[in-house]
Amino acid sequence: MGIESFCSADASEPFWDWNLTWHTEDPDFTPCFQNTVLVWIPCTYLWICFPVYYLYLRRHDRGYIQMSNLNKAKTALGLILWIVCWADLFYSFWERSQISRAPFYLISPTVLGITMLVATYLIQYERIKGVQSSGVMTIFWFISLLCATVILISKIKHALNMGAEVDTFRYVTFCIYFVLLFAQLILCCFPEQPPLFSETVNDPNPCPEFSASFLSRVTFWWITGLMIQGYRSPLEAKDLWSLNKDDKSEQIVPVLARNWAKEWSKTKRRPLDMLYAPKKQQKSSDSNGDVTEEAEALIIKPSQKSSEASLFKVLYKTFGPYFLMSFLFKAAHDLLMFAGPEILKLLLNFVNNKAAPDWQGYFYTVLLFVCACLQTLILHQYFHICFVTGMRLKTAIVGVIYRKALVITNSARKTSTVGEIVNLMSVDAQRFMDLATYINMIWSAPFQVILALYLLWQNLGPSVLAGVAVMILLVPINAVMAMKTKTYQVAQMKSKDNRIKLMNEILNGIKVLKLYAWELAFREKVLEIRQKELQVLKKSAYLAAMATFTWVCAPFLVALSTFAVYVTVNKNNILDAQKAFVSLALFNILRFPLNMLPMVISNIVEASVSLKRLRVFLSHEELDPDSIIRGPTTEAEGCIVVKNATFSWSKTDSPLLNSINFTVPEGSLVAVVGQVGCGKSSLLSALLGEMDKKEGYVVVKGSVAYVPQQAWVQNATLEDNIVFGREMNESRYKRVIEVCALLPDIEILPSGDKTEIGEKGVNLSGGQKQRVSLARAVYCNADVYLLDDPLSAVDAHVGKHIFEKVIGPKGILKNKTRLLVTHAINYLPQMDTILVMTDGEISEMGSYQELLEQDGAFAEFLRTYANAEQSMENSDTNSPSTKEGKPVENGVLVNEAPGKLMHSRDTGKSQQQSSTAELQKPLAEKNSWKLMEADTAKTGRVKASVYWDYMKAIGLFMSFLSIFLFLCNHIASLASNYWLSLWTDDPVINGTQQYTDVRLGVYGALGISQGIAVFGYSMVVSIGGIFASRHLHHNLLHNVLRSPMSFFERTPSGNLVNRFSKEIDTIDSTIPPIIKMFMGSMFNVIGACIIILLATPIAAVIIPPLGLAYLFVQRFYVATSRQLKRLESVSRSPVYSHFNETLLGVSIIRAFEEQKRFIKQNDMKVDENQKAYYPSIVANRWLAVRLEYVGNFIVLFAALFAVIARNKLSAGLVGLSVSYSLQITAYLNWLVRMSSEVETNIVAVERVKEYTEMEKEAEWSIEQTAPASTWPEEGKIEFRGYGLRYREDLDLVLKNVNVTINGGEKIGIVGRTGAGKSSLTLGLFRINEAAEGEIIIDGINIAKIGLHDLRFKITIIPQDPILFSGSLRMNLDPFDQHSDEDIWRSLELAHLKNFVSSLPDKLNHECAEGGENLSVGQRQLVCLARALLRKSKILVLDEATAAVDLETDKLIQSTIKSQFEECTVLTIAHRLNTIMDYTRVLVLERGEVVECGSPEQLLRERGIFYSMAKDSGLV
């Protein structure tokens, strides 16, 4: 043979000798084998790795590492190794000249020498490329050392053997070689220093992963520091490491965005080419432009169907390459998995064969252990890659969605509500994350099944087909269940979307609900949706029970059918231990892929649904940035030029603004006036490029600043809201604050301009929000200002101040181009041009004088309103003498009202009141004040009471029943396997076993009882889970609705929505299956231990210490993991809140062109969240590796004790105990995973409970004190010594109010901003309870009756008109108490009848979320209609006319006068002219009533009221 001649000159020495190596008590290899194969193994490894690794390093450069002592030592050792090898070579050459030696003496040292050179080169190359610790090299040195050890042992034996000749030179060189290898391996375990210029250098808390050594990374040792820290004290956000560069948003998102853009443009290109062909010819005849639009839309639709951009392809392109690594790991792991049963087979043979030498048993044991350990390490590297990919996927998807949300058109935004988009971010991105872990199962599961079947066939022959048949039968059943589950899931998602949408609105409009006492109606609506959701859940639960049944019983049925067929087909087929237990081990392996496949398939189906939702969202139309030409300010035409432009909100809608033509010269001030809903705001939106331009030409030169009608305020400090990402310029900032009249407000705020403003600006009043919004625009110093009615929400005198100082001809913006939408007539004479709009067209245009002379609609409109007021204003502005006096008045203005905080208008949303007291607070206290309570993370273990609460929610009977069924199931399972081991030990007589029928019968019976128990506990747990989630959701909803207003002001809506979506979802669909798995794996582990103890009682010595090790690791882990999970969920809320906020303010962000900054903020928030998520992934791996090692030790000892006691044990018991111990690793892993899952998920119950234990407001209705149904008869209100404060630690906002209001009186309440006007109404509705004194209505103290009894009887028209999505009818009458005639009558009185009858659905017209498809004025009228429907004795108007033009205002006032003639009306007035004809006026100042009397009387007294009237120009 060739190899023999290679081994020795005369081919005398054999290459392999069984007698020398195997059939002996003292095994050894032949010298030939030692010098060839054992030398070449490490060389081959390195040569295979080298090219791949070299290319990898070229691509991934981490920076340059300086030469260090460590590196020098490694290189030196490498060179010495090379010298040693070549010394051997030259020695052989020298030797050949004397005697002929075998060829390998030349070849092996040559190959080895070259390999050492390559290794030395790699050591340097890695240093240059910045590799701190190398896996390839570590493994190389390890393999080399292993092979060398074998040779060394052999050489020592040889030398000890008396009379053997010893080749001294080669012995010496070999020993040197061995020592050097050992040194290299030791050095390899230490990492190098970090590369120069790497991020880690300037990072305060870098992630230790890359600087850890290879061993540390394989075993995840590098996270141990964090684990210890987490065990000692709960982790906090500052303890977390920064993210690795490759996991950061700025690194990942752009790549995906680029790839998606490429893919999208590919599919866009085709249809568009064929589209625009007809357009060109049509340009000549513009008359039928609309027809083309129609055609265009028609062509687009079908063509898009045929070629949709494939999001999957894009994701694969982005994340595929890194993910492919996991493919290799998975394949290696799968192969190793089958080593277990094969070694078990050999081990059982060994136990049966009493003649075999002992060392073989130990050899198998060690082999089993080594395989298990390798499997562990490989599996967790695989998981790590999968999870990191999942994490990156989520980051990328969230980033892409966010970027897309900033550019989609408004019509596209209407198709998906805010709730749905947020869901895309949370739920769908999460789905991808989950899928990344399992996707490999698609090929791995079939691969495992085929391998297992092949091995089974070898074991049992064709009988296996019986088992396979059972499996194949189960697959379609599982598939059907998966598909069903899918449809249920879609249905459930739909209900969930609707429920969250509704909850979102309830939380946004909670104040209105409370004022109208509508909580019950809305609670019913939510519960109705919830009921649908639970019905679907119940169906899913039945399915899940079925699935669990097939899941748990499949392996057993397979085993039963196989064994039954095997023993009955042929009498001579004997079921011995080897056949039975190796088959069982293989069936256990089979169980996993068969169960996983349906789950993976359903996961993939889910992900494909998510993929579709994402693709649809990412394919939405984007705003066309070129529809508005934004040029530099040079040309002479004018600053804004619009030529016959037509706009609509979306491509499909009919145009809203028709043939608009106007030019605004640079630096001029233009007013836009017109009725409610005539398209004034739309005109500004069109100029901002928010609308779809059908035709025409629009130029806006220079930068733009925009003040929307409803101010948008960020959850940030006041200063951040104004500066809005520009650089800070102190002097300009101060000036802006001063002119926008914000100084007094800032003085009052707890920490000045560093005060944090709550979500949607809850702690500011309407007027303050508006002024902050204005200040933001003024600060940014743009060229063009588009102002959408910024003066509506502020008091007359503040409005005047702002107009003069900011907007008007003398204001800070006097050189800018300003477009002002306004309802305030008194400012019109000062405008350069006035545009009058009617029904989406510009009907008149010109200066004030010109329009008056034209005597058109505008002049008519003015005449009605402006007579007295106007002349007053005019004389005032034109005479120079009064001009001089103005600052004085301003001085007065500022001095008189340090309480210019507008919270009072915003029903007390401010937590701070009573300015004087606030100003005296020490500064330290000021800075500590924070409004929003961040989502808090609880620390420490989850209390046992939480579990108890959950058990009670399920029902104790159900709970204990399920535990009992679990026990039955596991006892049956253990018994059946024990029975099997007894069966296999039946003696064989004449080639057959006796009693096979009895054995088979009992085995089957035990299996069936097991199945019944499984089905039972699965049903019980699932149904119990539904009871629990119904109960918990009901309580949560009820309690949140019963919380007082102050609770909603402190808690960001994001947190609450999070409770209703995330936590409830967890309770619905995550907790029950996890509990099932937890119980299952716990009993499995206990069962395995019992079996091992039965077989080898000596194991009792080893199981307790391993158990302790296990517990120790687990406690260590759970402490850290739980805290990480909490940190992760706490840092998730800001991502959603910020996203929500962005969606609401997207037009403002676009107008100011701040998209970049917001994208950056979003990226930071996502990274902050992933910072907590990454360590928790690694912590899972850390734990799993440690635990599996505990499991591997159990395998080792089970096998070891079986080998030691092999003479006393039957093969059946050995088989039983080892096959159980092989499973224990998986179970242990599962057990800790599940126990920590149970703990982290049960937190959901804790968080839901937490809100059910908050403070509540008073009872809604109290039987004993309920007033008569006709109360209040006359509507007489008495305040007796009344005082009110917002929180216990604050001063009184109202003090000592004593007023009696008789039935039917009309009372106006006035006062500077912050005087406590709104607080009075809050007290009346008991939104805040009295601090002292009482309010009595018709002889009943309102504090004594139920809140609903009170609130149903008083009606308010609130300042912010809030509508809910649903029909218009529902918005007017949620309880369905009134007939349609009543509703139409109230609409007629509210001047909405014409509008509503023109709608296609009339009363069933769907209002959008927040009523966005009605104008603000129309919403205000709807609120009036609500009040008219209720027709109660007492009506409160909270400055209801802020957003309405004067004409509508007149209508409202006259309606109120006529309709509420005999009612008591309280009006909080900002426009004094509305209350000049009221019976009495209350003037409040700093929370006290300072003047009270009829308007005429007060004007005569010349007090505060007089000066206010003077400001408004009424005197």
Side-chain angles (χ1 to χ4, degrees), residues 64 267 359 504 513 610 693 799 954 1124 1182 1184 1292 1295 1304 1388:
Y64 177 86
T267 50
W359 69 267
N504 230 334
L513 288 192
S610 294
K693 185 177 73 170
I954 291 178
L1124 283 171
W1182 177 89
L1292 291 174
K1295 31 194 186 289
E1388 186 176 6

Side-chain angles (χ1 to χ4, degrees), residues 398-410:
V398 170
V400 171
I401 290 174
Y402 188 84
R403 285 158 173 74
K404 180 76 180 182
L406 286 173
V407 293
I408 59 175
T409 60
N410 278 307

Side-chain angles (χ1 to χ4, degrees), residues 407-414 621-624 649 1150:
V407 293
I408 59 175
T409 60
N410 278 307
S411 57
R413 250 207 58 203
K414 290 284 177 292
E621 281 179 81
E622 301 187 359
L623 285 178
D624 175 13
W649 276 115
R1150 292 198 280 234

